[in-house]
Amino acid sequence: MKVLLLGGTGEARELARVLVGAGVGVISSLAGRTTEARLPVGEVRTGGFGGADGLADWLREHPVDAVIDATHPFAATMTAHAAAARRETGVPLLVLRRPGWTQGPDDNWHWADLATAANLLPSLGSRVFLTIGRQGLDAFATTGLWTLARCVDAPEPRPTWCTLILARGPFTLADELALLREHRIDVLVTKDSGGPATSAKLDAARQLHLPVVIIRRPDLPAGLETVLSVDEAVRWVMRPT
């Protein structure tokens, strides 16, 4: 059995490890946008497919039994391309998406989409910590607020309107508390990425009683089969046919 795994996340690496260990052939596809990416076990290809048509052509030229989309919850374009390629080729598709974060009783969260999130900030604070990655930073360039942005890789061109730090998670609660205090942050902006690797910033914001703007996830295309965990994805692959 052979699976094309659209990866780049911790769940994708774990899924590749389990499937390869079970004797399943796995081709992990990485976008290649992140330098020094953590590579999964098994075969790896890097770079895009050339849109939905390119992915469909690739599937015709490289027959696999299934495609698993385990990309980031905000990788909406890749998921749309995978859904279109499934309709074109008939290759089964599963989407693995980790659960989003859940607001607690002591949290001061404000939900928004990327286009409107910046409008909320002036009423919430004056020193902003952006943890949304490098894509979408420009949406916050004109707030007039002092802004600290953390990314894995530097945007091109490098922004001059914010203070930029480059770092890769996971981050500890102690580190996040120290960062927020050092820069006197009074409002946090993050995506609803879910998972434990970057959740310490939410714990730190809660401890410091800071408001948090949460960017909502994009909707999945209709009709996709979806699971929330690696174990569920493994069972889907191993199900009797």
Side-chain angles (χ1 to χ4, degrees), residues 134 137-138 141 149 151 153-164 166:
R134 59 181 174 174
L137 281 184
D138 287 348
C151 307
D153 296 307
E156 293 294 342
R158 196 179 182 100
T160 58
W161 54 270
C162 65
T163 298
L164 184 68
L166 304 181

Side-chain angles (χ1 to χ4, degrees), residues 3 31 47-48 51 70 84 100 134 150 158 169 173 177 181 204 206 210-211 226:
V3 171
R134 59 181 174 174
R150 182 170 67 195
R158 196 179 182 100
L173 174 58
L177 284 169
R181 287 169 172 151
R206 183 181 307 116
L210 301 184
T226 306

Side-chain angles (χ1 to χ4, degrees), residues 74 99-104 107-120 124 188-194 202 211-218:
F74 283 79
W101 286 314
T102 301
Q103 184 172 354
D107 290 322
N108 180 12
W109 288 7
H110 304 262
W111 293 85
D113 56 33
L114 185 61
T116 61
N119 296 332
L120 295 175
L124 298 175
L188 168 68
V189 182
T190 189
K191 292 178 175 179
D192 183 23
S193 300
L202 297 174
V212 182
V213 176
I214 306 282
I215 308 298
R216 295 187 185 92
R217 294 181 175 189

